[in-house]
Amino acid sequence: MSRDSALDIAADVASGRTSAEAVIRRTLGDIAGQDGVLNAFTTVLAEEALRDARRLDGRIATGQPIGPLAGVPFAVKNLFDIAGVTTVAGSAIRRDAAPARADAALVARLKSAGAILVGAVNMDEFAYGFVTENHHYGATRNPHDARRIAGGSSGGSAAVVAAGLIPLALGSDTNGSIRVPAGLCGIHGLKPTLGRLSCEGMFPFAESLDHAGLFARTVGDLALAFGVLQDPGGARRPAPTDAASLDAVARGRLRVGVLGGWFVQGAFPEVLEGLARVAEALDATLGVELPGAEAARSAAFCLTAHEGARLHEADLRSRPQDFDPAVRDRLLAGALLPDEVADTARRYRTVFRDAARAVFDDYDVLLAPVVPCLAPIIGQETMMMNGQPVSVRKNLGAYTQPLSFIGLPVLAAPVNRPGRLPVGIQIIAAPWREELALGAALRLERAGVIAAHPPGALQ
């Protein structure tokens, strides 16, 4: 099983110490050996990946220019278009849809940088969930304990990176769907500012809330891939993610606050312990309040259900039996919400955005747990919060939903706790300031406070 970083793979391929074909053959072997238990890949593009690797090796042999991710294997959540492949978005309904005519914008950018796509991975149906216990394709298992969930909805993306099968994967985040699985699987997950990365060719869930993002095991890999994925011709200048810029942030003065109130209610002791370690390492101010977070979460729930239901209205009417029951019932509930509820939620977005802007006047980054708990067991319906049993599915996103509701950039980072189930911490920055979150994570990584640990053998 390969645990090489994207940076190391690219350097070895570019220098000729190894070939892209050798990297891909090893990766495909790892997938064949591990994914029977993990259940993450829904499509493995073995022939296409080997073809692309040979082409890259040919370019290197003839001295042609190659990109910064040369030979790096990657996978994508199966809601990203892959040319010639049907984009199922975790559903049965889309199995008979026409194959995609072109790669999604972010898939194309990674390929242009020399990365090699090896397949598509499992998710909650239509990205509506936090568990990746897919009714049609089965549950994706957590690499640290195969009895437990990987989280969702980008569970397959997180699991394959955490398992060491590949160094990079694309995911999407509407209410926490990158951060939750990153936290539960013990890797880094970046949800950039809303609109920073293109969603072109990404099957939507709730378009006013959808973010595209990525997973990696190291801050350096995350920063490198994020730099590649940004649109240099976009309305905003790409965030500085080069090594020198992030080093300057990591070494500089950072004003760090720890969110209290809503963002620690019901958190398990292990989660609070991890948050305290990160806070101490960054000399953070404790108990910072972000007013209105609970209301923002409720508004996000309503807006998600409303937009999702309208997107799938025709299929809900004509073939409701073909949906995952857990997804169908929530979409049907969303269909009953009047437009006025969604309008109210959208208006509250402005109120909550102003509250967050005021907090960022005093702090560069904020900290909060990713999820309240450790990874639940597959099929577990309830967990204890504040002494009361609550729904696992409804509460895994308790701390993530308010932040994506207003599109803040957030990096989920794994606390360094080898041999134990992962704990993730959100590093939150103001809009368009991803480099601050990445720089803070780099400081923590250098200090040994955060780290992605390889799991033991899957059982």
Side-chain angles (χ1 to χ4, degrees), residues 199-216:
C199 291
E200 180 186 348
M202 187 180 92
F203 193 87
F205 172 20
E207 289 190 273
S208 74
L209 295 164
D210 288 346
H211 303 66
L214 66 156
F215 298 87

Side-chain angles (χ1 to χ4, degrees), residues 27-306:
T27 298
L28 294 172
D30 290 344
I31 293 168
Q34 291 291 316
D35 197 56
V37 174
L38 199 64
N39 191 41
F41 278 91
T42 54
T43 302
V44 177
L45 301 170
E47 292 183 8
E48 296 87 342
L50 287 168
R51 177 200 64 206
D52 292 345
R54 295 186 192 106
R55 286 177 178 170
L56 179 65
D57 288 335
R59 291 178 63 85
I60 294 171
T62 56
Q64 298 180 61
I66 56 174
L69 291 173
V72 174
F74 75 101
V76 301
K77 187 175 183 175
N78 67 27
L79 53 60
F80 286 91
D81 285 351
I82 301 169
V85 176
T86 297
T87 307
V88 296
S91 74
I93 285 174
R94 290 189 51 80
R95 283 176 180 161
D96 296 328
R101 294 183 177 182
D103 290 333
L106 298 189
V107 175
R109 285 180 191 164
L110 288 176
K111 286 184 174 181
S112 294
I116 297 175
L117 179 63
V118 295
V121 289
N122 201 14
M123 57 181 283
D124 287 289
E125 183 181 72
F126 294 127
Y128 206 170
F130 289 125
V131 293
T132 311
E133 295 183 57
N134 190 291
H135 179 73
H136 314 293
Y137 303 100
T140 292
R141 299 178 179 276
N142 193 309
H144 294 275
D145 183 342
R147 300 170 303 162
R148 298 179 184 271
I149 66 169
S153 62
S154 307
S157 299
V160 294
V161 173
L165 300 182
I166 54 171
L168 297 172
L170 292 180
S172 68
D173 189 310
T174 303
N175 288 303
S177 288
I178 287 173
R179 292 160 289 159
V180 168
L184 295 180
C185 289
I187 58 172
H188 297 282
L190 179 63
K191 181 202 78 62
T193 306
L194 182 67
R196 170 134 256 170
L197 297 186
S198 174
C199 291
E200 180 186 348
M202 187 180 92
F203 193 87
F205 172 20
E207 289 190 273
S208 74
L209 295 164
D210 288 346
H211 303 66
L214 66 156
F215 298 87
R217 291 190 296 273
T218 70
V219 177
D221 282 2
L222 199 69
L224 175 61
F226 178 49
V228 165
L229 290 171
Q230 294 178 75
D231 181 4
R236 286 184 177 267
R237 188 173 52 151
T241 59
D242 58 282
S245 296
L246 295 187
D247 179 70
V249 174
R251 294 177 181 275
R253 178 178 177 269
L254 282 172
R255 302 171 300 160
V256 182
V258 180
L259 291 176
W262 174 257
F263 291 95
V264 293
Q265 289 184 23
F268 284 28
E270 300 94 331
V271 173
L272 294 176
E273 176 189 352
L275 178 63
R277 285 181 60 193
V278 172
E280 181 180 11
L282 292 176
D283 193 24
T285 300
L286 303 179
V288 176
E289 292 297 321
L290 178 51
E294 185 174 4
R297 187 201 182 206
S298 297
F301 262 130
C302 292
L303 195 54
T304 298
H306 182 272

